Amino acid sequence: MVRCSCVLFRKYGNFIDNLRLFTKGGSGGMGYPRFGGEGGKGGDVWVVAHNKMTLKQLKDKYPRKRFVAGEGANSRVSALKGSKGKDCEIPVPVGVSVTDDNGNVIGELNKEKDRILVAEGGLGGKLLTNFLPLKGQKRVIHLDLKLIADIGLVGFPNAGKSSLLSKISHAKPAIADYAFTTIKPELGKIMYSDFKQISVADLPGLIEGAHMNKGMGHKFLKHIERTKQLLFVVDISGFQLSSQTHYRTAFETIILLSKELELYKEELQTKPALLAVNKMDLPDAQDKFHVLMNQLQNPKEFLHLFEKNMIPERTVEFQHIIPISAVTGEGIDELKNYIRKSLDEHANQENDAYHKKQLLNLHISNTISYSEPPSKNAVSSPRMDVT
């Protein structure tokens, strides 16, 4: 076991989802007092999103993690207006959130070519500055990657998430019989016959206490913030991390997963969710599945089995519950169809809500325009008294 843990630790080092950088805008150029010349503005530092970029590539290419823009040109007789210094661009992956040293969010980059100004260049010397240039802005920034995917897989270790991802997509995650097989996020795409693609993120398995960053808690939980929907994956036989921890049934697993999401960020529980009950090829799986369905249909009747601090404020309502076996392929096609159906239904609901909001705004706008009194400067027709 120790040998496996060491291998996992080294592998995890290949994936980076946060980085701290020093940035500095370029200084402005000198002004020319004799002729009123103005120095060029210093270059700016930008963070720019690229689809094929990773934070590891960024760190490997720029090991000093220092980014400084060019200085503005001095004013001179042949060019009284100095040219602007060269901008500096920091290439980052899509899905990065940029914060300053105090934790304030500077911005987010959610699609290709999104860009954020993080350090502004100094002004060039001119009359207002006594022709002396200003230094560029210095700023330490933090890049925090949160994967963007349609579906995020949620489950305890060994629930079979990696096996499932390999069945429904072209991804080739590591699969083994020890608990923490997935030690870095894996992305796969489900391909449909009409060329529709749905992205799926397999993330490190949760353990009890993940909201307090136990196990790989925060490294997992932050990545599901940007997924559209959640797919819970549970082992029909339940789960036990080690001989020193409690055995949990499939139902207990679902309740505990819900509680971990709630304690980390309550909004995660509002995401649409599906449930894949895995390992249905095992003996007695059908009997256990019937028991689980009864518990899920009447959850309040079984909550007395839990300690109060383990019960979530609200239990997750699954849009679809699908029994599957990632080993034999049982239920995989049905699962893929339900994933697409759920995403399409949610997209239609969002479109309907958007159109209703637009119509409401238009109605309010028209109501206001009709109820506005005539302007004081409006020209009225002259009154004609009939005698």
Side-chain angles (χ1 to χ4, degrees):
M1 290 297 291
V2 175
R3 185 179 176 185
C4 285
S5 299
C6 293
V7 172
L8 292 179
F9 182 79
R10 287 199 298 271
K11 279 185 69 181
Y12 188 79
N14 289 330
F15 178 77
I16 297 174
D17 56 11
N18 59 81
L19 212 53
R20 184 174 183 267
L21 309 176
F22 172 83
T23 66
K24 181 178 181 295
S27 298
M30 290 289 293
Y32 203 135
R34 186 176 174 186
F35 294 101
E38 185 177 322
K41 181 181 179 296
D44 303 316
V45 182
W46 297 82
V47 177
V48 184
H50 296 275
N51 282 329
K52 295 184 178 180
M53 191 66 189
T54 68
L55 290 184
K56 184 178 186 304
Q57 289 173 333
L58 177 64
K59 182 182 178 183
D60 290 346
K61 189 173 181 179
Y62 305 98
R64 294 182 63 198
K65 296 180 287 184
R66 181 181 174 88
F67 298 86
V68 180
E71 296 183 352
N74 295 334
S75 173
R76 56 188 190 277
V77 174
S78 58
L80 292 178
K81 172 72 173 177
S83 58
K84 184 178 183 294
K86 186 177 181 181
D87 287 350
C88 175
E89 292 191 356
I90 306 173
V92 302
V94 173
V96 159
S97 175
V98 185
T99 57
D100 62 19
D101 237 0
N102 297 317
N104 301 313
V105 177
I106 302 171
E108 295 184 344
L109 301 109
N110 294 320
K111 61 181 185 297
E112 173 83 2
K113 299 300 181 184
D114 273 0
R115 54 198 292 120
I116 298 171
L117 177 64
V118 293
E120 195 168 358
L123 294 175
K126 53 186 175 181
L127 182 61
L128 289 175
T129 64
N130 200 25
F131 296 98
L132 297 175
L134 300 182
K135 292 183 178 180
Q137 179 185 13
K138 290 182 181 179
R139 205 178 208 180
V140 173
I141 63 170
H142 296 259
L143 306 179
D144 192 32
L145 176 65
K146 296 177 184 177
L147 296 178
I148 299 175
D150 296 313
I151 299 289
L153 302 185
V154 178
F156 279 167
N158 256 21
K161 301 189 305 300
S162 298
S163 298
L164 177 58
L165 184 67
S166 68
K167 278 285 185 182
I168 62 178
S169 75
H170 297 297
K172 302 297 179 188
I175 300 170
D177 59 359
Y178 46 84
F180 288 102
T181 307
T182 303
I183 38 70
K184 63 177 183 177
E186 296 278 356
L187 274 176
K189 283 188 181 293
I190 305 175
M191 306 288 290
Y192 293 88
S193 57
D194 61 353
F195 304 108
K196 168 83 172 180
Q197 296 183 29
I198 290 176
S199 57
V200 182
D202 175 25
L203 307 157
L206 285 175
I207 63 171
E208 292 178 49
H211 69 280
M212 297 184 294
N213 211 19
K214 288 185 179 179
M216 299 180 188
H218 291 178
K219 287 186 178 296
F220 163 84
L221 289 164
K222 73 174 185 179
H223 287 298
I224 64 174
E225 290 182 45
R226 289 189 180 177
T227 56
K228 294 178 182 177
Q229 298 194 10
L230 305 179
L231 175 58
F232 282 60
V233 184
V234 301
D235 184 336
I236 188 59
S237 299
F239 173 71
Q240 187 174 19
L241 183 63
S242 70
S243 57
Q244 284 77 42
T245 61
H246 294 289
Y247 162 77
R248 302 297 186 187
T249 65
F251 177 68
E252 290 174 323
T253 298
I254 293 167
I255 296 298
L256 292 170
L257 287 171
S258 302
K259 187 63 177 179
E260 291 300 333
L261 296 182
E262 176 190 286
L263 290 172
Y264 177 72
K265 189 167 286 189
E266 288 185 17
E267 301 91 87
L268 294 180
Q269 284 194 303
T270 64
K271 288 180 180 289
L274 295 86
L275 172 62
V277 183
N278 194 20
K279 305 188 182 181
M280 290 298 295
D281 56 295
L282 297 177
D284 301 325
Q286 287 294 340
D287 292 338
K288 291 176 180 177
F289 183 72
H290 290 310
V291 172
L292 174 62
M293 288 300 293
N294 181 46
Q295 291 170 321
L296 291 173
Q297 289 164 3
N298 308 283
K300 291 183 180 178
E301 295 181 15
F302 301 93
L303 294 181
H304 67 277
L305 302 171
F306 299 86
E307 297 175 17
K308 283 188 177 180
N309 63 348
M310 295 167 62
I311 301 173
E313 293 292 325
R314 53 174 286 184
T315 54
V316 176
E317 295 182 7
F318 297 107
Q319 295 184 322
H320 304 286
I321 300 173
I322 311 98
I324 66 165
S325 169
V327 173
T328 66
E330 174 190 346
I332 295 300
D333 287 338
E334 289 86 348
L335 176 61
K336 289 164 70 173
N337 291 334
Y338 277 122
I339 287 174
R340 178 165 182 176
K341 181 181 178 183
S342 180
L343 284 168
D344 288 345
E345 287 173 351
H346 187 63
N348 290 335
Q349 289 172 4
E350 286 187 331
N351 287 336
D352 289 343
Y354 174 77
H355 290 310
K356 285 179 182 177
K357 185 178 179 181
Q358 292 292 92
L359 287 172
L360 179 61
N361 289 340
L362 182 62
H363 175 71
I364 293 172
S365 176
N366 289 338
T367 303
I368 292 173
S369 63
Y370 286 136
S371 62
E372 282 181 351
S375 169
K376 292 181 180 180
N377 298 322
V379 179
S380 59
S381 301
R383 181 180 176 183
M384 296 182 65
D385 291 327
V386 180
T387 58

